[in-house]
Amino acid sequence: MKVVLALDLGTTGNRVIAFSKSGEVIAKSYYEFPQIYPRPGWVEHDPFDILNTTIEALKDVLSSVGADNVVSIGITNQRETVVLWDKRTGKPVYNAIVWQCRRTREICDRLSSHSTLIKTKTGLPLDPYFSATKIQWIIENVSGIKSRIDKGDILFGTVDSWILWNLTGGRVHATEPSNASRTLCYNIHTLTFDDELLDLFGIPRGLLPEVRESGEHFGNTDKTITGREIPVTAILGDQQAALFAQGGWERGVVKNTYGTGLFLMTSTGTKIAESGNLINTIAWQVGGEANYAVEGSVFIGGSCIQWLREGLQIIKSSADSEKLAESLESNEGVYFVPALVGLGAPYWDPSARGMIIGITRGTRREHFARAALEAIAYQTRDVIEEMEGTAGIKFKNLRVDGGAAENDFLMQFQADILNTTIERPHLIETTAFGAAGLSGIISGFWDRNKFSEARKIERIFTPNWKDDKRSLHYSRWKNAVSRSMNWAGE
Ligand code: ADP
């Protein structure tokens, strides 16, 4: 049976999945790799761990489906993480600095007078989260690297480029706009790395990968690795891949990934929308045309359920939260603002802290579970309101994925609080499916319609609430949020 492979290169591990034409998972393999925390707030990966686990998983899947049956490969990856390596030896000059790493806060402070320029050109706020200051940190801190850069020996890549370069036997050094647009030095208007920004961050142009389309023939894998040469025909950042898998090229469709955090994204077509407290990014570039998106990230999503489980120890498994929440008729006035690490989109208040309000003598763990799940849904509405208000999105429906999207109570509550239908797909591996989808469309395995048909909906949740109930609940949530803000910092 013919298949398309997705290499899903995540933050905690790498997964390879083979998909059939009907969208079924034919084979898969996953390997975790170590997280390296050299100091508080610093996060690194060993680039060889990323590479070796990818190759292991790839070999597992190839031996199960047969290399001859693989039509093409799509790559999707953790975004913003940077690797610099020596192109003669293939050896990294330093560990990969991971998107979560906060070590470049001081560099960002130093450059803060340029933040408007940066936002205008890249669509992003100046923050350690993105790649540029991490590249700058490596250039400033690895001894002897400057002369090697001058000699032209050093290459930079996000994880997609690092893996592509290795899988093609060092022949292809490339990336594409959904990854490049997260580097903080890529101009999303001109679709090129921007000289003024490169100067600002002190990044020599010679380090940079070529920016190709998200869907095109990047090159073939080396047959010493995969047994035969296999074309790599798509690369997409993880959130963009999930959007693609959810049919997110349709306007008004918002996808939300309910994982540790919440990642909402919606396409704005060929137009760059006003983004306000959200981020502008590139969803993908195919057929000469860049497709833009607006993205909102909430720091604490499913992880507030994890906190009930591991921190408070009032539930045994995350799934228990569903039964507890459903055992109450309503939240009985209890609201939980999970600002456990401050608030992200759309509030951006690092000094906000978590708060539970409305507790009475009758409050039980059921109320905590319910308030936490409701908070995930309210935070989702906060981002969608910003998308509608500032970015002018005509919101149609929400398509969901991620671990906590399995929670039926949460999904029903989400439909009620948004007053919209929610589609939950059969397949939870949407990130991998998106990369396979674009790869398969480019390699002729699917046409776009056939790929859409392969996306199967498991369940649709429809709203049941009256408008006044909805506004009452939401206004009380907003009130709670305002009370949680501006707290820490003394
Ligand atoms: P990530 O990819 O960010 O690691 P996942 O998509 O695996 O996250 O989702 C895991 C998160 O979702 C955890 O924080 C977990 O507590 C939460 N979660 C998982 N299952 C459920 C559930 N049934 N109800 C509520 N939360 C859940």
Side-chain angles (χ1 to χ4, degrees):
M1 185 195 296
K2 296 288 179 200
V3 294
V4 167
L5 300 192
L7 312 188
D8 181 1
L9 314 174
T11 308
T12 46
N14 291 325
R15 179 176 276 117
V16 176
I17 303 185
F19 291 96
S20 72
K21 260 201 179 115
S22 61
E24 258 173 291
V25 173
I26 302 301
K28 60 177 171 179
S29 177
Y30 175 77
Y31 291 97
E32 265 189 24
F33 52 77
Q35 305 293 312
I36 302 166
Y37 304 110
R39 292 191 204 175
W42 290 29
V43 190
E44 298 176 1
H45 296 151
D46 180 338
F48 280 132
D49 286 339
I50 300 177
L51 176 63
N52 295 337
T53 50
T54 303
I55 292 178
E56 288 272 302
L58 184 56
K59 286 188 167 162
D60 289 348
V61 168
L62 288 173
S63 72
S64 153
V65 301
D68 286 342
N69 291 320
V70 178
V71 177
S72 60
I73 292 177
I75 296 175
T76 177
N77 59 293
Q78 52 160 321
R79 305 172 301 174
E80 298 101 11
T81 298
V82 312
V83 186
L84 269 70
W85 69 97
D86 189 314
K87 70 178 182 197
R88 294 167 316 158
T89 61
K91 284 210 182 103
V93 302
Y94 191 81
N95 274 341
I97 302 185
V98 178
W99 56 274
Q100 294 155 322
C101 188
R102 307 297 297 173
R103 82 182 62 194
T104 57
R105 242 181 66 187
E106 271 171 28
I107 301 185
C108 290
D109 289 346
R110 222 157 68 203
L111 295 172
S112 64
S113 62
H114 304 282
S115 53
T116 309
L117 173 86
I118 292 171
K119 169 90 183 169
T120 308
K121 287 191 166 190
T122 66
L124 308 173
L126 172 60
D127 190 275
Y129 177 30
F130 305 103
S131 312
T133 57
K134 300 180 198 290
I135 306 172
Q136 186 176 359
W137 189 94
I138 292 180
I139 296 174
E140 286 176 4
N141 287 279
V142 172
S143 78
I145 190 177
K146 290 202 176 95
S147 65
R148 293 163 74 190
I149 290 176
D150 289 343
K151 277 194 267 165
D153 291 341
I154 305 298
L155 302 179
F156 150 73
T158 36
V159 169
D160 53 315
S161 302
W162 165 243
I163 293 298
L164 179 71
W165 188 83
N166 278 286
L167 290 183
T168 57
R171 288 191 304 272
V172 184
H173 182 221
T175 187
E176 52 68 58
S178 78
N179 276 291
S181 67
R182 317 295 297 186
T183 58
L184 213 60
C185 44
Y186 186 75
N187 187 320
I188 59 172
H189 305 266
T190 60
L191 302 175
T192 49
F193 284 114
D194 187 282
D195 284 324
E196 192 179 8
L197 297 177
L198 293 174
D199 277 352
L200 198 62
F201 295 111
I203 301 172
R205 194 168 261 283
L207 294 181
L208 302 174
E210 182 191 350
V211 186
R212 311 259 285 262
E213 298 227 318
S214 312
E216 67 164 63
H217 183 214
F218 284 88
N220 290 341
T221 58
D222 198 282
K223 59 172 180 266
T224 59
I225 303 169
T226 47
R228 85 170 239 276
E229 292 191 7
I230 303 171
V232 178
T233 58
I235 298 180
L236 285 172
D238 51 9
Q239 299 308 320
Q240 288 93 335
L243 183 67
F244 193 81
Q246 297 270 24
W249 52 82
E250 222 179 289
R251 301 297 287 280
V253 166
V254 177
K255 81 92 198 168
N256 190 10
T257 301
Y258 296 79
T260 305
L262 306 174
F263 290 95
L264 288 101
M265 198 182 259
T266 188
S267 163
T268 58
T270 51
K271 186 174 118 250
I272 303 177
E274 211 40 64
S275 63
N277 287 318
L278 305 172
I279 283 172
N280 287 111
T281 200
I282 294 178
W284 44 76
Q285 185 181 332
V286 184
E289 211 165 64
N291 203 303
Y292 294 92
V294 173
E295 177 174 334
S297 318
V298 173
F299 299 140
I300 303 281
S303 57
C304 70
I305 304 299
Q306 194 177 9
W307 177 67
L308 297 184
R309 196 182 73 218
E310 291 170 4
L312 292 188
Q313 303 184 348
I314 58 171
I315 55 174
K316 283 215 183 62
S317 74
S318 295
D320 285 352
S321 60
E322 184 174 326
K323 277 185 250 79
L324 289 174
E326 270 169 353
S327 73
L328 298 175
E329 283 294 308
S330 84
N331 63 18
E332 297 177 3
V334 178
Y335 286 78
F336 173 22
V337 183
L340 308 181
V341 292
L343 287 170
Y347 302 104
W348 299 111
D349 180 4
S351 71
R353 283 298 174 270
M355 183 189 76
I356 298 174
I357 195 165
I359 297 175
T360 66
R361 189 65 184 74
T363 300
R364 290 171 285 122
R365 67 192 184 114
E366 283 81 352
H367 296 85
F368 278 62
R370 181 162 183 133
L373 290 170
E374 288 191 1
I376 297 174
Y378 291 127
Q379 293 187 98
T380 299
R381 174 159 169 189
D382 290 341
V383 173
I384 290 176
E385 297 248 319
E386 182 78 5
M387 284 176 169
E388 288 186 293
T390 319
I393 304 295
K394 291 206 170 44
F395 174 52
K396 271 201 330 226
N397 78 358
L398 185 70
R399 298 184 183 168
V400 301
D401 50 58
E406 295 298 304
N407 190 306
D408 290 347
F409 169 81
L410 171 59
M411 291 300 105
Q412 184 57 50
F413 188 84
Q414 186 73 81
D416 289 332
I417 206 68
L418 281 173
N419 197 25
T420 186
T421 54
I422 294 186
E423 291 180 13
R424 185 168 68 190
H426 233 288
L427 186 84
I428 43 169
E429 314 279 14
T430 47
T431 308
F433 191 49
L438 182 56
S439 169
I441 288 169
I442 298 296
S443 63
F445 186 70
W446 281 301
D447 64 30
R448 180 104 29 130
N449 292 334
K450 279 274 175 303
F451 173 65
S452 294
E453 284 165 20
R455 181 179 78 86
K456 299 198 177 63
I457 295 166
E458 181 253 340
R459 183 159 167 194
I460 296 179
F461 294 85
T462 49
N464 292 325
W465 284 12
K466 295 224 167 64
D467 283 347
D468 52 348
K469 182 174 178 185
R470 185 167 21 256
S471 4
L472 179 67
H473 273 73
Y474 190 60
S475 68
R476 296 200 81 188
W477 159 258
K478 295 291 272 189
N479 185 338
V481 171
S482 68
R483 291 166 193 246
S484 78
M485 291 173 77
N486 220 339
W487 182 257
E490 288 303 316

